[in-house]
Structure formats: C-alpha cells, structure tokens
Amino acid sequence: MGKLKSRIHTQHQLNFPGDYSCEAVAFFNREILVLRLWDQQSSQPVLQFRQAADLQLRLSLPLAEYDGSQTFCRWGDGLALLGKSGLWFWPSIAEQEAEFYPLHNSEVLQQQLHGQQYQFTPLQIVPLDERQLLLRMSGANNRSGRAISWLFVNEDGNSHIVNRYKEMNDAEILQLAEFHQAAPELIALAVSDDTIWCLCSPQLSGKQQSPAANLLIPYQYALPNTLLGSLSKLLGAGQRRELLLQANLQQLPAGKARFSEDHHWLWLQPKGKSHFDCYAVGNSSSCHQISLTPLQNLGDINKRQASLSFWDDTLFLVHNGVQLNLCEVLPVAAT
C-alpha cells in the first residue's frame, strides 16, 4: 500500500437560486452529481442532479411529490426512485417525466404478529439486472440494515417486492469471532462483476461511533448446486434462484467503510485515523491511501466538517454544504 497525493481540480460554491441549504452531495455517475437540498420555504427535501463540471441543473425532484422518499439509484442510464406507493423510473437524467410502476404488494412492508405491528423499510436499492433491483431492508421498526430482498417490474406494469428475505446468517459468517457477541448489520450493498457484495459489521452498541470490524460478504444470485437446480437450468423453469454464499469473504480493519459509487472499490477510514485506505472489492490488501489536507483536497473546508463521496479509486469530492471540491488521486509518478 502506498500513500498517494491528491489535488483539487474544480471548486464550486453551493449557493443556488431559491432558499436552499445543501445537506448531501454524491456522485450519480462520473459527470453528474446528485445533491440533497432542503427547501426552507416549503420545508421539504429536494433532489437535484447537476453537471459536475459547472453545476448546471439537469433534473430537480421535489420529494414530497414522490412519497417523500430518498431511496434511489442509477439503473442503466436512468434513475430509479422507490416510494411507498411504487417505483418511478426516468430513462435518463434529461427526462423530466418518469414512468411509474405502482407497488402491487406494499403490505409486505407491514406485518402483524401477536397484536404488534412491524414496519420494514427499504434503506437502499441497487440494480441486479435489467428487471430487478436488490433492496437492503431494515429490521423491524428500526433503521438498521438487516436483510436483502428483491423488487421486480411485472409485465402488467406493476412493481412487486418479493416476500422473502436473505439475512446474513450463514454458518460461515456467524462462526466468525466478530459476530460472537453481536449480530451482523448490513451496512451497504454493491453489485460488481455479477457478484453481490454485502458490507457488514457487528451491530453498534452503547457509544460506539464506528464499527469494531468490517466484513465484505460475496454472494452469487444463481440456482443452487442441487439436482433440482440442475434440472431448472436445463428446463429454464422450476426452482428459483437464491443468494449463494461465495468463498472469498473479505475481512477489513475497524473503521467507517463505504463503497465507491461505481461499486468496484471500497474506501475505509480506519478507526481513530483521518486518512482513507482504498481497496479493490474482493481484495483484502489496500492498494493506496490518501490523507485529508488543506493543500491537497480540503481547501478552506474544516476537516471536521468535511463529507466525502468517491466515484472510483481516484475521483472523489469533499464538501461541507457550502463549498464543494472535486478532487483526484494523483498517479505514483506525479506524487
């Protein structure tokens, strides 16, 4: 692992027409940023998609018109947004009108047991293929990631959530020392090269600010290696596909970890440190490290107020809600 320098290549001030405050900025793709703004006049959140180069507005979505949802993802060349009533899809960011697929079975998100009402919330959506999205689901009546489910669009124009959930409860996972005292929490999902990667950590307790350990768990969405599974492959029907645990579990140090927005990399800020280590997803050895400094990437942003988003292993942004710095990691020859 080598320590690399970075540089600011573009700076923006986050002040826009209207009475907005900026709450979050992330990469939607390499050229487009997505900003979560708060409209002070209407007291409502707004999603805006702007060009990274000059912050020119491409699409603005008052989220009150979409069930107030902030659960969205890039799906192909377009945008998918999931609300309580259904799925909206914009074929491209240039489109102002969305296709809408009503949610056929929203009741699966609310279940009653022994007189107690339980609510399950989709915390994240990730494309699995052209017709299906993966859902990172909460536990009952909380906001902690608990399981994976699926959403697909039917030929009748409705969307449908599969009423089954895959928890991180494989024997190979639960026997790890990190999960002897605490159950796995599903922090984030990513799909890279046909592998579904689950970022997990022991559930935080007490005053913990960052996970005591991180684990990347790979799954394949495929038919099981059984006789019925083999027959299903031959016949094209029969047994349904499942999430099958793969061998290369990736154990990572304690700290705050996140996937890059292109899903091929993972960035980790080790516990008690201010630098970030970059890992190729599926590789437990860090390929390089960057530090946050005023000269390289912070500019006038206070380190304690800095929020980051990574597109890949080199392109990232730093912002504090007022100023935005687009940065790049410099190659070894330039450091």
Side-chain angles (χ1 to χ4, degrees):
M1 175 183 66
K3 189 177 226 181
L4 299 183
K5 294 181 180 179
S6 61
R7 72 175 184 94
I8 301 170
H9 66 76
T10 306
Q11 288 185 299
H12 296 300
Q13 294 299 314
L14 299 175
N15 46 10
F16 308 112
D19 194 8
Y20 293 114
S21 59
C22 182
E23 298 181 335
V25 186
F27 287 98
F28 182 71
N29 58 34
R30 195 175 186 88
E31 288 81 31
I32 301 294
L33 305 178
V34 55
L35 294 81
R36 189 177 75 237
L37 307 177
W38 184 258
D39 188 334
Q40 306 283 0
Q41 292 185 346
S42 64
S43 296
Q44 296 288 344
V46 177
L47 276 186
Q48 290 193 347
F49 296 81
R50 294 176 175 271
Q51 293 182 175
D54 56 9
L55 292 189
Q56 180 180 340
L57 181 63
R58 301 290 299 276
L59 180 65
S60 183
L61 303 177
L63 293 180
E65 299 177 10
Y66 305 95
D67 298 339
S69 174
Q70 299 183 24
T71 306
F72 67 93
C73 70
R74 189 178 65 258
W75 197 3
D77 294 328
L79 163 70
L81 188 149
L82 178 62
K84 294 178 181 178
S85 59
L87 180 74
W88 287 268
F89 177 67
W90 288 260
S92 77
I93 295 302
E95 302 284 341
Q96 297 300 309
E97 297 297 327
E99 302 165 6
F100 180 62
Y101 304 98
L103 186 56
H104 176 69
N105 61 333
S106 59
E107 69 276 1
V108 302
L109 300 177
Q110 298 183 24
Q111 299 181 18
Q112 193 165 2
L113 183 64
H114 304 307
Q116 178 72 36
Q117 189 77 20
Y118 294 98
Q119 176 76 36
F120 300 89
T121 305
L123 303 173
Q124 180 190 5
I125 56 176
V126 177
L128 179 59
D129 54 36
E130 293 180 354
R131 297 192 63 81
Q132 294 186 91
L133 294 171
L134 288 177
L135 309 182
R136 180 170 64 95
M137 301 296 297
S138 75
N141 299 336
N142 63 49
R143 299 285 296 180
S144 296
R146 178 66 181 272
I148 300 173
S149 188
W150 295 259
L151 179 145
F152 61 90
V153 176
N154 286 326
E155 293 181 359
D156 62 5
N158 290 318
S159 56
H160 185 96
I161 293 178
V162 176
N163 191 17
R164 60 189 172 99
Y165 302 95
K166 169 59 183 172
E167 297 188 12
M168 308 297 102
N169 56 3
D170 304 85
E172 297 91 332
I173 298 170
L174 297 182
Q175 70 184 8
L176 296 173
E178 291 87 346
F179 300 119
H180 286 176
Q181 303 296 324
E185 179 176 347
L186 182 54
I187 305 297
L189 292 174
V191 178
S192 176
D193 299 327
D194 297 323
T195 298
I196 299 164
W197 291 94
C198 303
L199 174 61
C200 293
S201 67
Q203 288 184 345
L204 297 180
S205 60
K207 297 182 179 179
Q208 281 184 282
Q209 296 295 315
S210 62
N214 290 287
L215 184 69
L216 269 184
I217 304 172
Y219 289 95
Q220 289 283 334
Y221 186 52
L223 290 166
N225 189 23
T226 62
L227 176 60
L228 183 56
S230 299
L231 288 173
S232 298
K233 292 178 186 177
L234 290 172
L235 299 174
Q239 190 168 7
R240 62 192 179 188
R241 290 190 291 172
E242 299 176 3
L243 286 180
L244 305 178
L245 182 66
Q246 303 301 293
N248 52 334
L249 275 67
Q250 183 178 348
Q251 293 180 273
L252 299 166
K256 293 182 179 179
R258 72 195 79 184
F259 289 112
S260 62
E261 296 299 335
D262 74 348
H263 287 188
H264 296 308
W265 306 88
L266 183 135
W267 287 85
L268 185 144
Q269 183 179 12
K271 187 176 181 179
K273 306 294 184 180
S274 60
H275 66 261
F276 288 82
D277 295 327
C278 179
Y279 296 81
V281 169
N283 191 325
S284 57
S285 297
S286 172
C287 55
H288 58 257
Q289 178 188 113
I290 63 169
S291 297
L292 296 182
T293 71
L295 181 62
Q296 293 186 45
N297 40 55
L298 289 172
D300 296 329
I301 297 175
N302 187 305
K303 183 185 294 186
R304 298 191 178 193
Q305 298 174 335
S307 296
L308 284 80
S309 173
F310 298 89
W311 169 248
D312 54 16
D313 60 328
T314 59
L315 186 62
F316 67 102
L317 65 82
V318 184
H319 80 95
N320 62 356
V322 178
Q323 181 177 321
L324 168 66
N325 298 336
L326 294 175
C327 309
E328 62 181 350
V329 178
L330 298 176
V332 175
T335 59

